[in-house]
Amino acid sequence: MFEHIFTSRSLLAAAFVATVGLAGISAQAADKTLTVYTYESFTSEWGPGPKVKEAFEKTCGCSVNFVSVADGVALLSRLKLEGAATKADVVLGLDTNLTTEAKATGLFEASGVDVAALEVPGDYKDDVFVPYDYGHFAVIYDTQTIKNPPQSMKELVEGDPSQKIVIEDPRTSTPGLGLLLWVKSVYGDKSPEAWAKLKKRVLTVTPGWSEAYGLFTKGEAPMVLSYTTSPAYHMVAENTDRYQAAAFSEGHYIQIEVAGLLKNAHDKELARDFLKFMVTPGFQDTIPTNNWMMPVSPTSQPLPDAFGKLVSPSRTFLMSSDEVAENRKAWIDEWLAAMSMN
């Protein structure tokens, strides 16, 4: 009898310990946090962030913590400032113009993601950075205000100064840097003169894309630097074709956005799982109608019809990341000098 009671109590105790242990494991899994540095428009309520967070958390037994800054170039600046002490596990929102500088920080390591099957213009491949979307930069204009939009970079630079454009700062913004490189691609050594002329049309320079596009849609200026895909948002979400992209005869500069794994990520397996998730339909489905860019791998749904009505650039510009790293400071100094001239 005593032995039976002892055995029963032992079994109950063992069961209790097992239950507590399982609960502890479950709680530990739920306590796992993935910290992702990205840009503000990604984490906005209409951006991909909320859907990406929900979809990944269903599979990871973790919590995704997005930390956002104004724009992509600001991400790299923050990483350089924080160094090895950064809390980021993954950085999402750099682009190929910045990858050489990002690697030079020594903060990143190989992603472990197979990118061979991804469909990226120029067949971009990298063992450190994972591409997740792309789009061509474009001047977006309000058709109710501008009846004859610029049809080339030359027409933009030399056009009516009363028709203003909002642009982004190349020191903090990947679109701003993209415009800088677009102008350099078209004008080369004559870029300072082009900027001096274009300055007359610039209403203001914003830190990031969100501020610039917000001013445009509020009617502060009839043009803004954005993407050829931006009109799709208005066609799909607002059922209007009022805002359109100007097709430039010289061609358009492309942006390929990437994500990377930090060497000091506190849970590298979790971080790699997220990077692998980024090229699956669970992530890629959010890109066309939330980030309003082009996906790099198949989605579970076809693209909306609006994407078939977008400007298709006659030529694509893209400098190597090494060339940008070598010249970015000098070219920004050129831009600053031109934009500060009276």
Side-chain angles (χ1 to χ4, degrees):
M1 181 70 174
F2 177 80
E3 182 178 350
H4 174 72
I5 293 172
F6 178 79
T7 303
S8 298
R9 287 176 177 173
S10 298
L11 289 172
L12 285 170
F16 175 76
V17 170
T19 302
V20 170
L22 287 172
I25 292 172
S26 177
Q28 186 178 23
D31 285 344
K32 289 195 301 182
T33 299
L34 179 74
T35 299
V36 179
Y37 281 15
T38 186
Y39 47 82
E40 288 175 352
S41 61
F42 191 91
T43 60
S44 67
E45 61 181 352
W46 46 264
K51 291 183 178 180
V52 166
K53 175 181 169 70
E54 181 182 4
F56 186 65
E57 286 181 348
K58 286 179 180 177
T59 70
C60 71
C62 72
S63 175
V64 176
N65 175 37
F66 285 119
V67 177
S68 58
V69 297
D71 218 318
V73 179
L75 281 174
L76 182 56
S77 298
R78 176 162 179 167
L79 283 175
K80 287 180 176 180
L81 183 65
E82 293 179 347
T86 182
K87 301 298 183 184
D89 300 309
V90 169
V91 170
L92 183 166
L94 301 177
D95 66 16
T96 55
N97 295 317
L98 298 171
T99 52
T100 294
E101 283 189 60
K103 287 178 183 178
T105 66
L107 297 174
F108 291 90
E109 67 175 65
S111 69
V113 178
D114 182 5
V115 298
L118 301 185
E119 299 175 1
V120 185
D123 198 31
Y124 172 80
K125 298 285 189 298
D126 193 273
D127 64 346
V128 174
F129 291 101
V130 179
Y132 63 90
D133 70 16
Y134 66 90
H136 288 83
F137 294 113
V139 171
I140 304 299
Y141 67 98
D142 184 346
T143 62
Q144 292 185 5
T145 306
I146 295 181
K147 302 305 178 185
N148 297 300
Q151 297 182 34
S152 65
M153 181 64 75
K154 185 175 187 296
E155 287 189 13
L156 175 68
V157 166
E158 299 179 3
D160 182 356
S162 69
Q163 293 182 332
K164 299 297 184 182
I165 184 171
V166 180
I167 65 173
E168 299 88 346
D169 193 324
R171 295 169 295 178
T172 54
S173 162
T174 50
L177 179 59
L179 179 60
L180 185 82
L181 302 178
W182 192 2
V183 170
K184 181 61 70 171
S185 298
V186 173
Y187 282 94
D189 293 341
K190 300 292 185 183
S191 295
E193 292 91 328
W195 281 114
K197 292 179 181 177
L198 182 57
K199 179 195 172 189
K200 299 172 185 175
R201 303 193 77 172
V202 175
L203 176 70
T204 191
V205 179
T206 64
W209 176 88
S210 295
E211 300 97 327
Y213 212 79
L215 289 172
F216 169 69
T217 54
K218 289 175 183 174
E220 296 294 326
M223 295 185 292
V224 65
L225 176 73
S226 191
Y227 299 87
T228 56
T229 47
S230 296
Y233 164 75
H234 301 286
M235 287 187 268
V236 173
E238 299 176 343
N239 196 31
T240 178
D241 57 4
R242 174 178 174 177
Y243 304 109
Q244 294 296 321
F248 279 13
S249 58
E250 303 99 339
H252 294 244
Y253 199 95
I254 194 172
Q255 179 180 48
I256 302 168
E257 295 192 293
V258 299
L261 167 68
L262 276 298
K263 279 184 180 178
N264 291 342
H266 74 279
D267 189 334
K268 288 186 182 179
E269 182 179 358
L270 180 62
R272 283 198 170 96
D273 284 346
F274 182 79
L275 291 172
K276 292 173 183 175
F277 167 73
M278 288 181 65
V279 297
T280 68
F283 184 100
Q284 291 289 299
D285 281 353
T286 70
I287 293 300
T289 56
N290 290 276
N291 221 33
W292 301 98
M293 297 281 273
M294 299 299 295
V296 298
S297 63
T299 57
S300 63
Q301 301 292 328
L303 292 177
D305 291 342
F307 280 78
K309 302 174 183 178
L310 303 176
V311 164
S312 180
S314 58
R315 179 185 177 188
T316 292
F317 295 110
L318 180 63
M319 293 186 185
S320 73
S321 186
D322 288 346
E323 183 178 6
V324 177
E326 182 179 349
N327 295 287
R328 182 163 77 104
K329 184 181 184 303
W331 291 344
I332 286 176
D333 287 345
E334 264 184 12
W335 175 83
L336 283 169
M339 295 298 284
S340 62
M341 290 171 59
N342 292 325

